[in-house]
PDB file of all heavy atoms in Angstrom:
ATOM      1  N   LEU D  18      12.380 -13.710   4.651  1.00  0.00           N
ATOM      2  CA  LEU D  18      12.835 -14.129   6.043  1.00  0.00           C
ATOM      3  C   LEU D  18      13.479 -12.936   6.843  1.00  0.00           C
ATOM      4  O   LEU D  18      13.074 -12.797   7.987  1.00  0.00           O
ATOM      5  CB  LEU D  18      13.706 -15.344   6.112  1.00  0.00           C
ATOM      6  CG  LEU D  18      13.057 -16.526   5.432  1.00  0.00           C
ATOM      7  CD1 LEU D  18      14.140 -17.632   5.495  1.00  0.00           C
ATOM      8  CD2 LEU D  18      11.998 -16.958   6.350  1.00  0.00           C
ATOM      9  N   ALA D  44      14.102   2.401  15.332  1.00  0.00           N
ATOM     10  CA  ALA D  44      14.067   2.802  13.971  1.00  0.00           C
ATOM     11  C   ALA D  44      15.252   2.234  13.340  1.00  0.00           C
ATOM     12  O   ALA D  44      15.144   1.827  12.044  1.00  0.00           O
ATOM     13  CB  ALA D  44      13.902   4.253  13.865  1.00  0.00           C
ATOM     14  N   THR D 139      -1.396 -19.515  -0.223  1.00  0.00           N
ATOM     15  CA  THR D 139      -0.327 -18.542   0.262  1.00  0.00           C
ATOM     16  C   THR D 139      -0.756 -17.144  -0.209  1.00  0.00           C
ATOM     17  O   THR D 139      -0.428 -16.212   0.619  1.00  0.00           O
ATOM     18  CB  THR D 139       1.070 -18.861  -0.335  1.00  0.00           C
ATOM     19  OG1 THR D 139       0.815 -19.477  -1.722  1.00  0.00           O
ATOM     20  CG2 THR D 139       1.698 -19.825   0.499  1.00  0.00           C
ATOM     21  N   SER D 151      -1.717  -3.693   8.926  1.00  0.00           N
ATOM     22  CA  SER D 151      -1.952  -2.448   8.329  1.00  0.00           C
ATOM     23  C   SER D 151      -3.249  -1.798   9.051  1.00  0.00           C
ATOM     24  O   SER D 151      -3.232  -0.587   9.325  1.00  0.00           O
ATOM     25  CB  SER D 151      -2.335  -2.535   6.831  1.00  0.00           C
ATOM     26  OG  SER D 151      -1.233  -3.207   6.273  1.00  0.00           O
ATOM     27  N   VAL D 155      -3.064   1.769  10.854  1.00  0.00           N
ATOM     28  CA  VAL D 155      -3.811   2.886  10.356  1.00  0.00           C
ATOM     29  C   VAL D 155      -4.468   3.559  11.658  1.00  0.00           C
ATOM     30  O   VAL D 155      -4.645   4.719  11.927  1.00  0.00           O
ATOM     31  CB  VAL D 155      -4.935   2.578   9.437  1.00  0.00           C
ATOM     32  CG1 VAL D 155      -5.907   3.686   9.224  1.00  0.00           C
ATOM     33  CG2 VAL D 155      -4.277   2.212   8.115  1.00  0.00           C
ATOM     34  N   LEU D 173     -13.207  -2.378   7.980  1.00  0.00           N
ATOM     35  CA  LEU D 173     -14.480  -3.000   7.512  1.00  0.00           C
ATOM     36  C   LEU D 173     -14.429  -3.440   5.966  1.00  0.00           C
ATOM     37  O   LEU D 173     -14.667  -4.489   5.604  1.00  0.00           O
ATOM     38  CB  LEU D 173     -15.524  -1.806   7.755  1.00  0.00           C
ATOM     39  CG  LEU D 173     -15.906  -1.487   9.130  1.00  0.00           C
ATOM     40  CD1 LEU D 173     -16.946  -0.387   9.180  1.00  0.00           C
ATOM     41  CD2 LEU D 173     -16.320  -2.781   9.904  1.00  0.00           C
ATOM     42  N   SER D 178     -13.733  -7.539   1.874  1.00  0.00           N
ATOM     43  CA  SER D 178     -13.049  -7.870   0.726  1.00  0.00           C
ATOM     44  C   SER D 178     -12.339  -9.192   0.888  1.00  0.00           C
ATOM     45  O   SER D 178     -12.203  -9.984  -0.030  1.00  0.00           O
ATOM     46  CB  SER D 178     -12.217  -6.778   0.095  1.00  0.00           C
ATOM     47  OG  SER D 178     -11.265  -6.639   0.980  1.00  0.00           O
ATOM     48  N   LYS D 229      -7.050  -4.432  -2.311  1.00  0.00           N
ATOM     49  CA  LYS D 229      -5.770  -4.212  -1.919  1.00  0.00           C
ATOM     50  C   LYS D 229      -5.061  -3.106  -2.784  1.00  0.00           C
ATOM     51  O   LYS D 229      -4.141  -2.428  -2.294  1.00  0.00           O
ATOM     52  CB  LYS D 229      -4.960  -5.534  -2.109  1.00  0.00           C
ATOM     53  CG  LYS D 229      -3.699  -5.695  -1.299  1.00  0.00           C
ATOM     54  CD  LYS D 229      -4.044  -5.800   0.117  1.00  0.00           C
ATOM     55  CE  LYS D 229      -2.797  -5.595   0.946  1.00  0.00           C
ATOM     56  NZ  LYS D 229      -3.131  -5.012   2.408  1.00  0.00           N
ATOM     57  N   ILE D 250       2.476   5.926   7.655  1.00  0.00           N
ATOM     58  CA  ILE D 250       1.656   4.781   7.251  1.00  0.00           C
ATOM     59  C   ILE D 250       0.904   5.019   6.007  1.00  0.00           C
ATOM     60  O   ILE D 250       0.785   4.002   5.147  1.00  0.00           O
ATOM     61  CB  ILE D 250       0.754   4.482   8.402  1.00  0.00           C
ATOM     62  CG1 ILE D 250       1.489   4.020   9.695  1.00  0.00           C
ATOM     63  CG2 ILE D 250      -0.141   3.233   7.968  1.00  0.00           C
ATOM     64  CD1 ILE D 250       2.564   2.927   9.350  1.00  0.00           C
ATOM     65  N   ALA D 257       3.602   0.762  -0.950  1.00  0.00           N
ATOM     66  CA  ALA D 257       4.061  -0.702  -0.880  1.00  0.00           C
ATOM     67  C   ALA D 257       2.772  -1.623  -0.931  1.00  0.00           C
ATOM     68  O   ALA D 257       2.796  -2.507  -1.680  1.00  0.00           O
ATOM     69  CB  ALA D 257       4.834  -0.914   0.397  1.00  0.00           C
ATOM     70  N   SER D 278      -6.841 -19.688 -22.579  1.00  0.00           N
ATOM     71  CA  SER D 278      -7.978 -20.722 -22.308  1.00  0.00           C
ATOM     72  C   SER D 278      -9.092 -20.052 -21.663  1.00  0.00           C
ATOM     73  O   SER D 278     -10.210 -20.561 -21.757  1.00  0.00           O
ATOM     74  CB  SER D 278      -7.408 -21.739 -21.495  1.00  0.00           C
ATOM     75  OG  SER D 278      -6.795 -21.244 -20.246  1.00  0.00           O
ATOM     76  N   VAL D 292     -12.079  -1.992 -17.872  1.00  0.00           N
ATOM     77  CA  VAL D 292     -13.192  -1.063 -17.419  1.00  0.00           C
ATOM     78  C   VAL D 292     -12.721  -0.462 -16.126  1.00  0.00           C
ATOM     79  O   VAL D 292     -12.875   0.706 -15.871  1.00  0.00           O
ATOM     80  CB  VAL D 292     -14.489  -1.847 -17.322  1.00  0.00           C
ATOM     81  CG1 VAL D 292     -15.516  -1.014 -16.673  1.00  0.00           C
ATOM     82  CG2 VAL D 292     -14.787  -2.321 -18.696  1.00  0.00           C
ATOM     83  N   MET D 356       8.250   8.047  -5.485  1.00  0.00           N
ATOM     84  CA  MET D 356       7.766   9.370  -5.448  1.00  0.00           C
ATOM     85  C   MET D 356       6.597   9.485  -4.503  1.00  0.00           C
ATOM     86  O   MET D 356       6.468  10.537  -3.914  1.00  0.00           O
ATOM     87  CB  MET D 356       7.417   9.839  -6.936  1.00  0.00           C
ATOM     88  CG  MET D 356       6.436   8.948  -7.672  1.00  0.00           C
ATOM     89  SD  MET D 356       6.584   9.395  -9.440  1.00  0.00           S
ATOM     90  CE  MET D 356       5.284   8.427 -10.138  1.00  0.00           C
ATOM     91  N   ALA D 360       6.255  11.774  -1.291  1.00  0.00           N
ATOM     92  CA  ALA D 360       5.206  12.924  -1.043  1.00  0.00           C
ATOM     93  C   ALA D 360       4.498  12.708   0.333  1.00  0.00           C
ATOM     94  O   ALA D 360       4.258  13.708   1.092  1.00  0.00           O
ATOM     95  CB  ALA D 360       4.267  12.725  -2.326  1.00  0.00           C
ATOM     96  N   PRO D 387      13.452  25.312   1.900  1.00  0.00           N
ATOM     97  CA  PRO D 387      13.568  25.100   0.462  1.00  0.00           C
ATOM     98  C   PRO D 387      13.977  23.744  -0.013  1.00  0.00           C
ATOM     99  O   PRO D 387      13.408  23.336  -0.978  1.00  0.00           O
ATOM    100  CB  PRO D 387      14.702  26.085   0.119  1.00  0.00           C
ATOM    101  CG  PRO D 387      15.353  26.503   1.363  1.00  0.00           C
ATOM    102  CD  PRO D 387      14.375  26.132   2.509  1.00  0.00           C
ATOM    103  N   PRO D 404       8.399  15.361 -17.797  1.00  0.00           N
ATOM    104  CA  PRO D 404       9.580  14.714 -18.276  1.00  0.00           C
ATOM    105  C   PRO D 404      10.862  14.601 -17.445  1.00  0.00           C
ATOM    106  O   PRO D 404      11.373  13.550 -17.409  1.00  0.00           O
ATOM    107  CB  PRO D 404       9.875  15.420 -19.560  1.00  0.00           C
ATOM    108  CG  PRO D 404       8.497  15.901 -19.979  1.00  0.00           C
ATOM    109  CD  PRO D 404       7.835  16.312 -18.687  1.00  0.00           C
ATOM    110  N   PRO D 454       3.678  33.373   2.105  1.00  0.00           N
ATOM    111  CA  PRO D 454       3.558  32.813   3.370  1.00  0.00           C
ATOM    112  C   PRO D 454       2.638  33.535   4.340  1.00  0.00           C
ATOM    113  O   PRO D 454       2.555  34.785   4.240  1.00  0.00           O
ATOM    114  CB  PRO D 454       4.935  32.548   3.972  1.00  0.00           C
ATOM    115  CG  PRO D 454       5.707  33.577   3.364  1.00  0.00           C
ATOM    116  CD  PRO D 454       5.146  33.865   1.996  1.00  0.00           C
ATOM    117  N   ALA D 484      18.331   5.804 -14.499  1.00  0.00           N
ATOM    118  CA  ALA D 484      18.512   4.357 -14.344  1.00  0.00           C
ATOM    119  C   ALA D 484      17.248   3.608 -14.553  1.00  0.00           C
ATOM    120  O   ALA D 484      17.105   2.446 -14.153  1.00  0.00           O
ATOM    121  CB  ALA D 484      18.900   4.096 -12.729  1.00  0.00           C
TER     122      ALA D 484
END
Side-chain angles (χ1 to χ4, degrees):
Chain D
L18 291 180
T139 31
S151 307
V155 170
L173 294 181
S178 67
K229 203 66 194 155
I250 293 309
S278 59
V292 173
M356 57 196 185

